Amino acid sequence: MVTETSPTVGELLDQFIAEEKLFEIKQRQPGERAARKDELAYSTASSYLSLCKRVREKWGATKLDKFKPLDFQTWLKELELKPKTKGHLKAFVNRLFYKAKLYGMLDYHENPIGLVEVRGISKRSRKPADLTIEQFFLIYGLLPEPYRVMALMAICTGLRVDELLALEWRVFDFDRLCMEVKEGVVNGRIGPVKTEYSEDELPLDPEVATIILELKRRSKGSALVFPSPATGRSYHASPIQQDWIRRAGWCLVACPECGAAHGKVCTVIKQDRGKQFNIPVHDARRNLAFEKGLGSIGWHTFRHSYRSLLSEEET
């Protein structure tokens, strides 16, 4: 529309990748910090590159002024993806077309993606679990250090796990019982927190502060609150969730096979091709936990429970 030879979607993607420095961010090594405060997070850059690849495969050769919203909507409907994922894809292409206007590639009065509908985006595939205080401490009792302190801080502060694992001792003011969170870590790459709201000063409960201070007394000089003993850098969140937190969550129900009570591990030695689990759980117990809505306890559960418990205090 704006030019005689309209750019293609592929050219728009190239411009977007270059402007946001997606490849440079993706190549950042574990332990490296973001070059700028306004730089995209490593996880966001990785996600954008994945979306760029999917969009390019289908629409790369399409001229921007020939892009049809209805064709895009039909394509989204035919993709075998969850509605929420389709929503992310629509939001990404929506941003691309705003960028096209910024780059002078397009002169739409209305962003064409604004016409596209994706139904079911707001529907959750499953309702997130809300832990009671009693349930949390059953999980807490099954976790070793430092994971139990991580879990305690997560449910007492509402921190995202990327913020939690990037914590350094310098952010704490134990005299004023508060902390200031400005960084997060994803896959070992350190960057700014997800939102500016996350940079607010957070209060510390005195009992939680005492536990954190005890952890500091046992620390070995690392700037990180939770340094990995293997690398000296930040832990990765997923293994802790899969190997410890999730399995501890399955123990919130009694085992129908061995009779282990709530908060107690199963009396099994090995399972899953002989692998020795730190928290042994029978398959029947795991299945029952899923039936009760407790099968996917993880980092976000603590954050979600924090908000729910906070709401209860305010009412």
Side-chain angles (χ1 to χ4, degrees):
M1 281 187 173
V2 75
T3 61
E4 294 182 1
T5 56
S6 176
T8 64
V9 172
E11 291 170 322
L12 171 58
L13 288 167
D14 291 338
Q15 178 78 7
F16 177 76
I17 290 171
E19 183 206 10
E20 298 290 357
K21 301 185 181 301
L22 299 187
F23 285 125
E24 290 89 334
I25 296 171
K26 187 68 165 63
Q27 291 169 0
R28 187 153 290 134
Q29 297 301 306
E32 290 187 33
R33 278 185 163 80
R36 309 185 317 274
K37 185 177 180 179
D38 61 347
E39 184 179 277
L40 291 176
Y42 175 84
S43 57
T44 304
S46 299
S47 176
Y48 277 171
L49 284 172
S50 177
L51 293 171
C52 284
K53 180 180 179 181
R54 185 183 288 272
V55 172
R56 193 188 298 275
E57 288 173 352
K58 176 63 179 178
W59 305 100
T62 305
K63 298 286 187 181
L64 292 178
D65 62 355
K66 301 297 183 183
F67 192 93
K68 304 297 183 185
L70 181 58
D71 292 342
F72 180 71
Q73 179 172 286
T74 301
W75 175 67
L76 277 180
K77 287 182 178 179
E78 293 173 350
L79 290 175
E80 294 183 358
L81 300 172
K82 293 181 179 179
K84 187 175 181 179
T85 305
K86 293 182 181 182
H88 289 322
L89 189 52
K90 177 197 166 182
F92 173 69
V93 177
N94 186 60
R95 184 177 185 187
L96 277 180
F97 272 88
Y98 275 113
K99 287 290 187 179
K101 296 167 70 175
L102 175 67
Y103 302 151
M105 292 181 169
L106 200 59
D107 191 26
Y108 272 110
H109 292 293
E110 181 179 8
N111 188 324
I113 307 303
L115 303 173
V116 175
E117 294 182 353
V118 181
R119 296 179 180 175
I121 295 176
S122 60
K123 293 181 179 178
R124 294 181 181 270
S125 57
R126 56 175 173 261
K127 183 180 178 181
D130 265 336
L131 296 177
T132 65
I133 296 297
E134 292 76 13
Q135 287 175 321
F136 170 76
F137 277 105
L138 287 177
I139 291 174
Y140 178 84
L142 294 176
L143 302 178
E145 297 291 7
Y147 307 148
R148 63 167 55 188
V149 180
M150 294 178 188
L152 183 67
M153 288 192 66
I155 202 168
C156 289
T157 65
L159 286 177
R160 297 180 178 88
V161 65
D162 59 301
E163 298 163 348
L164 181 71
L165 297 180
L167 286 175
E168 294 186 348
W169 292 115
R170 61 184 174 84
V171 308
F172 290 92
D173 186 333
F174 290 106
D175 292 331
R176 296 174 52 234
L177 289 176
C178 63
M179 57 190 289
E180 191 173 12
V181 181
K182 292 188 174 182
E183 291 183 324
V185 59
V186 178
N187 293 332
R189 283 77 174 181
I190 302 169
V193 289
K194 193 170 183 179
T195 64
E196 290 184 7
Y197 177 77
S198 299
E199 294 187 21
D200 288 350
E201 201 172 69
L202 296 176
L204 275 178
D205 179 86
E207 292 186 19
V208 175
T210 299
I211 292 171
I212 299 171
L213 273 171
E214 178 58 31
L215 185 66
K216 185 178 183 180
R217 279 191 283 269
R218 299 198 306 269
S219 67
K220 298 180 180 179
S222 173
L224 288 168
V225 176
F226 302 112
S228 167
T231 65
R233 297 191 293 268
S234 300
Y235 279 94
H236 285 259
S238 294
I240 301 172
Q241 175 171 284
Q242 294 296 330
D243 296 341
W244 290 97
I245 297 173
R246 188 141 296 170
R247 301 184 70 82
W250 297 343
C251 295
L252 291 178
V253 299
C255 182
E257 185 167 336
C258 69
H262 304 78
K264 302 295 182 182
V265 300
C266 288
T267 54
V268 295
I269 304 301
K270 293 182 179 180
Q271 56 186 29
D272 286 1
R273 299 180 182 178
K275 179 177 180 181
Q276 179 71 52
F277 285 112
N278 295 318
I279 299 181
V281 179
H282 280 112
D283 289 344
R285 189 179 201 179
R286 177 198 62 200
N287 295 338
L288 180 60
F290 273 98
E291 290 176 15
K292 300 291 187 181
L294 298 169
S296 299
I297 302 297
W299 295 112
H300 187 68
T301 310
F302 299 144
R303 179 173 167 81
H304 184 79
S305 299
Y306 162 79
R307 290 177 173 177
S308 298
L309 292 169
L310 199 63
S311 297
E312 290 178 9
E313 289 292 327
E314 292 174 351
T315 56

